């Protein structure tokens, strides 16, 4: 896949987040990403995933940083809250 705009976006290397499938693992991924965000880590440039990881990737890509953790926790909660 050719992404010329992303490769020239800055002098720093691109940051990618790759998430795997599995509902239980999806909850772990959500918590890990929330911890990175809360620690002030920069957002990834590219987010991809498979199965539950794809849902997490869509939530990460489609929400502003302030609302992201709440959305991920809501999606990955066992009680549907």
């Amino acid at each position: 896949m050719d992404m010329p705009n992303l490769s020239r976006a800055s002098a720093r290397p691109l940051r990618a987040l790759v998430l795997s499938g599995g509902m239980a693992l999806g909850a772990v991924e959500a918590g890990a990403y929330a911890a990175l965000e809360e620690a002030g880590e920069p957002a990834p440039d590219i987010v991809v995933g498979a199965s539950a990881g794809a849902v997490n990737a869509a939530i990460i890509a489609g929400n502003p940083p302030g609302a992201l953790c709440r959305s991920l926790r809501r999606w990955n909660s066992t009680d549907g809250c």
Side-chain angles (χ1 to χ4, degrees), residues 53-80:
V55 175
N56 283 336
I59 292 170
I60 290 168
N63 281 281
L68 180 60
C69 291
R70 185 174 57 251
S71 297
L72 283 171
R73 287 184 179 126
R74 184 173 54 239
W75 159 251
N76 286 287
S77 71
T78 57
D79 61 2

Side-chain angles (χ1 to χ4, degrees), residues 31-67:
Y33 188 82
L36 290 172
E37 183 181 76
E38 290 166 2
E41 290 293 319
D45 300 299
I46 301 168
V47 184
V48 297
S51 190
V55 175
N56 283 336
I59 292 170
I60 290 168
N63 281 281

